[in-house]
Amino acid sequence: EAGVTQFPSHSVIEKGQTVTLRCDPISGHDNLYWYRRVMGKEIKFLLHFVKESKQDESGMPNNRFLAERTGGTYSTLKVQPAELEDSGVYFCASSHRGYRVYEQYFGPGTRLTVT
Amino acid sequence: AQSVTQLDSQVPVFEEAPVELRCNYSSSVSVYLFWYVQYPNQGLQLLLKYLSGSTLVKGINGFEAEFNKSQTSFHLRKPSVHISDTAEYFCAVIHAGGTSYGKLTFGQGTILTVHP
């Protein structure tokens, strides 16, 4: 079974540019999550999809961040326009339904650097 | 709202020695508890979880953790560590019930370094 994959692994952009991160969850996982770790800080929740619907987006920092999950498969997280404070590692995770919903499987992350 | 505190940012230890990584949480509601590990250049991997039942939870790679409700702690232990256990370890909680059942709240992480 393939794990959670994320693309790109690294991205370096200038302030004001747009970046789109992609996450492919484990096949069959209805739940998909985005987290972010800013350097020196703890990993923080951004949002949670159940299939294509946003279950919880309480962690999205502002309206420069847009997450989508069309068709309930892969997800994208777009940052537009990027600011310096958006730099960090963005993790995606997925989980099954039912009692296994609490077992979140994480991808390797995308390291975003905004200069 | 809940919060998680990992009391040690770095823990150095010699190979084959025991180790304990400490985690305390605060929450006004019931929580589920987790430990994750991140090896260099990899994603987070679930080590173990406590949802209910026995307060002593065994996980992968010989790790175990004990849930102590009165002390609101969930410390991670291993009786004998290996070089390969060198990694960053994260304690996390989820609000049990409600619509935020997928929202992991993490501690700051503890870097475990095992020396030969």
Side-chain angles (χ1 to χ4, degrees):
Chain A
E1 174 179 79
V4 177
T5 58
Q6 294 186 243
F7 181 83
S9 57
H10 294 84
S11 180
V12 181
I13 61 172
E14 293 183 354
K15 176 182 172 181
Q17 290 186 321
T18 298
V19 64
T20 300
L21 314 181
R22 173 172 170 143
C23 168
D24 286 80
I26 292 173
S27 178
H29 280 191
D30 288 343
N31 295 280
L32 187 149
Y33 315 85
W34 284 98
Y35 293 87
R36 176 174 74 171
R37 189 180 195 190
V38 172
M39 189 179 294
K41 304 277 193 177
E42 67 271 25
I43 300 168
K44 287 203 167 178
F45 169 86
L46 295 178
L47 87 161
H48 169 197
F49 283 101
V50 179
K51 297 186 179 179
E52 65 275 9
S53 299
K54 292 175 184 174
Q55 170 72 19
D56 181 354
E57 51 183 332
S58 61
M60 294 290 266
N62 51 60
N63 59 11
R64 296 186 293 104
F65 288 76
L66 175 64
E68 294 180 322
R69 191 183 182 194
T70 308
T73 54
Y74 71 92
S75 174
T76 58
L77 180 65
K78 180 190 285 188
V79 185
Q80 178 182 30
E83 298 288 344
L84 297 178
E85 63 264 26
D86 300 332
S87 295
V89 181
Y90 289 76
F91 293 102
C92 175
S94 69
S95 70
H96 218 315
R97 66 180 76 88
Y99 74 95
R100 296 185 63 186
V101 69
Y102 299 109
E103 296 176 9
Q104 295 187 22
Y105 294 83
F106 281 75
T110 293
R111 182 173 297 276
L112 174 65
T113 303
V114 183
T115 62
Chain B
Q2 51 256 33
S3 66
V4 179
T5 302
Q6 292 183 240
L7 296 156
D8 305 293
S9 59
Q10 297 193 53
V11 173
V13 64
F14 286 107
E15 193 173 19
E16 297 183 5
V19 70
E20 178 180 81
L21 306 185
R22 297 178 294 167
C23 172
N24 285 87
Y25 69 93
S26 66
S27 178
S28 56
V29 298
S30 294
V31 296
Y32 298 140
L33 298 140
F34 306 82
W35 275 97
Y36 281 85
V37 61
Q38 185 181 23
Y39 299 105
N41 302 315
Q42 295 185 28
L44 279 73
Q45 180 180 3
L46 181 62
L47 267 180
L48 48 79
K49 65 183 183 292
Y50 173 79
L51 303 183
S52 64
S54 172
T55 56
L56 182 62
V57 180
K58 293 189 183 298
I60 61 172
N61 301 340
F63 284 93
E64 64 181 31
E66 185 154 21
F67 169 51
N68 188 319
K69 189 174 183 179
S70 63
Q71 297 186 4
T72 60
S73 68
F74 192 54
H75 301 332
L76 181 71
R77 302 185 183 99
K78 186 169 183 178
S80 175
V81 294
H82 303 287
I83 298 286
S84 58
D85 292 322
T86 294
E88 189 163 17
Y89 292 78
F90 297 93
C91 182
V93 303
I94 278 180
H95 172 199
T99 58
S100 296
Y101 62 86
K103 180 178 180 179
L104 279 164
T105 299
F106 285 91
Q108 300 90 331
T110 297
I111 296 173
L112 174 65
T113 304
V114 181
H115 298 284

